[in-house]
């Protein structure tokens, strides 16, 4: 027997289900509906501004016992130096061989370890005397250097961070750095800050905060405007150099050929 009312209800039910499925499909297809939130971005507040040697092509920076230690680059001008924060005065320094281009530095025990850009050679100096203790070699380029208390962490301009044994200098592993699923290249000067790797991104005003286990960028620090454009002299004087005082939780940043070094606090944007 034909039941027009029952058939109409059945058709209505089928149409309703189709509409619901179509809505669900559209929602799944829309990138904004289910996409992971974008990597958060922090701003900054300047706490203090200090003098910085405008001839220092800053490639590495770390804090120890009240002083900053800085590695500078350019062939014929590369140094490792101890700097008084308040005045910017260089209180101790050693020149690297004229043929090398100095890069990132870090401290391990009573030693300073300094990379070179393309020479595949690292210099290990005595922390107090700055006398050369030894050298070691590594493949590829050297950019930034820090440590996590167990391993050295090296950047080479690629999206990868290398983890090295601090005594034998053998490579232990690598982590690929990504932000929102995409590789992050040009990782430059590094600093270990409260369990994360902070990395300058070459030729930008941004610092990446990297989870060392996964390589994921968990946050960006936007330092745009920190050094006004009228105080920059050319393309080379980019943001580079991060140092952290864990006891007082002070964060210092500077740049290549910058006349100033800044202590900053991070803020929400």
């Amino acid at each position: 027997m034909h039941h027009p009312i029952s058939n109409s209800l059945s058709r209505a039910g089928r149409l309703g289900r189709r509409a619901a499925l179509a809505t669900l499909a559209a929602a799944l297809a829309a990138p904004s509906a289910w996409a992971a939130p974008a990597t958060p971005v922090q701003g900054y507040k300047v706490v203090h501004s200090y003098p910085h040697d405008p001839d220092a092509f800053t490639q590495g920076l770390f804090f120890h016992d009240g002083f900053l230690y800085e590695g500078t680059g350019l062939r014929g001008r590369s140094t490792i130096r101890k700097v008084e924060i308040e005045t910017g005065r260089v209180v101790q320094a050693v020149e690297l061989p004229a043929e090398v281009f100095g890069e990132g530095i870090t401290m391990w025990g009573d030693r300073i370890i300094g990379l070179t850009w393309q020479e595949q050679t690292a210099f290990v100096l005595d922390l107090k005397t700055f006398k050369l203790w030894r050298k070691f070699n590594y493949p590829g380029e050297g950019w930034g250097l820090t440590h996590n208390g167990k391993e050295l962490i090296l950047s080479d301009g690629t999206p990868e961070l290398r983890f090295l044994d601090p005594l034998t200098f053998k490579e232990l592993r690598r982590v690929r750095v990504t932000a929102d699923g995409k590789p992050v290249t040009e990782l430059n000067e590094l600093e270990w800050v409260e369990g994360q790797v902070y990395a300058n991104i070459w030729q930008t005003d941004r610092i990446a905060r990297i989870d060392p286990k996964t390589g994921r960028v968990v946050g960006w620090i936007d330092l745009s405007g920190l050094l006004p454009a009228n105080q920059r002299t050319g393309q080379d004087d980019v943001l580079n150099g991060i140092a952290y005082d864990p006891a007082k939780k002070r964060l210092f940043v500077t740049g290549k050929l910058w006349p100033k070094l800044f202590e900053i606090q991070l803020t929400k944007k």
Side-chain angles (χ1 to χ4, degrees):
M1 186 178 291
H2 187 56
H3 297 285
I5 295 176
S6 298
N7 288 343
S8 296
L9 290 172
S10 178
R11 285 196 298 272
R14 287 197 300 273
L15 289 172
R17 285 195 297 273
R18 287 174 185 169
L21 288 171
T23 301
L24 177 61
L28 290 171
S32 61
W34 296 89
T39 304
V41 180
Q42 291 174 285
Y44 66 93
K45 171 187 173 184
V46 174
V47 179
H48 292 292
S49 173
Y50 301 107
H52 179 253
D53 180 0
D55 291 324
F57 197 82
T58 307
Q59 299 288 70
L61 198 68
F62 68 82
F63 175 91
H64 172 64
D65 200 19
F67 291 88
L68 289 174
Y69 290 76
E70 184 173 15
T72 69
L74 299 176
R75 290 185 176 89
R77 290 173 50 186
S78 294
T79 66
I80 293 176
R81 49 178 70 181
K82 180 178 180 180
V83 180
E84 194 173 64
I85 297 175
E86 292 77 10
T87 64
R89 183 173 67 92
V90 177
V91 298
Q92 190 175 358
V94 62
E95 294 182 357
L96 298 183
E99 66 272 14
V100 306
F101 195 117
E103 286 283 345
I105 64 170
T106 195
M107 182 183 75
W108 183 262
D110 58 356
R111 311 291 185 192
I112 299 173
I113 303 172
L115 302 177
T116 56
W117 178 28
Q118 296 174 319
E119 291 75 23
Q120 300 184 339
T121 301
F123 295 87
V124 185
L125 309 180
D126 183 279
L127 177 65
K128 291 183 179 179
T129 66
F130 278 27
K131 288 184 178 179
L132 179 66
W133 183 60
R134 63 163 293 186
K135 301 178 186 179
F136 70 90
N137 298 109
Y138 52 89
E141 296 185 355
W143 286 40
L145 189 67
T146 190
H147 71 84
N148 59 10
K150 297 180 180 180
E151 306 150 311
L152 302 178
I153 307 171
L154 179 151
S155 67
D156 57 11
T158 74
E160 293 188 329
L161 293 175
R162 308 183 203 179
F163 292 75
L164 310 179
D165 185 295
L167 300 178
T168 66
F169 307 113
K170 290 183 179 179
E171 184 176 319
L172 303 173
R173 59 193 172 93
R174 295 191 181 200
V175 170
R176 188 171 178 82
V177 177
T178 61
D180 302 318
K182 298 179 180 179
V184 179
T185 61
E186 315 286 12
L187 300 171
N188 207 353
E189 214 273 321
L190 306 177
E191 182 75 3
W192 183 260
V193 181
E194 302 293 334
Q196 296 178 349
V197 177
Y198 281 28
N200 286 117
I201 309 299
W202 186 47
Q203 292 187 323
T204 77
D205 285 327
R206 282 198 167 192
I207 291 173
R209 293 173 42 229
I210 302 166
D211 181 328
K213 293 182 180 179
T214 65
R216 187 172 67 89
V217 175
V218 297
W220 294 104
I221 303 168
D222 185 355
L223 297 183
S224 298
L226 181 59
L227 186 71
N230 61 8
Q231 294 186 38
R232 297 193 180 191
T233 58
Q235 292 183 336
D236 290 331
D237 56 352
V238 295
L239 179 75
N240 204 44
I242 310 165
Y244 185 62
D245 171 9
K248 297 182 179 179
K249 300 188 182 303
R250 293 186 296 171
L251 185 63
F252 301 95
V253 294
T254 189
K256 304 178 183 186
L257 309 176
W258 281 23
K260 293 180 181 178
L261 175 137
F262 301 91
E263 180 190 339
I264 62 169
Q265 287 181 348
L266 303 184
T267 63
K268 292 182 179 180
K269 290 199 74 172

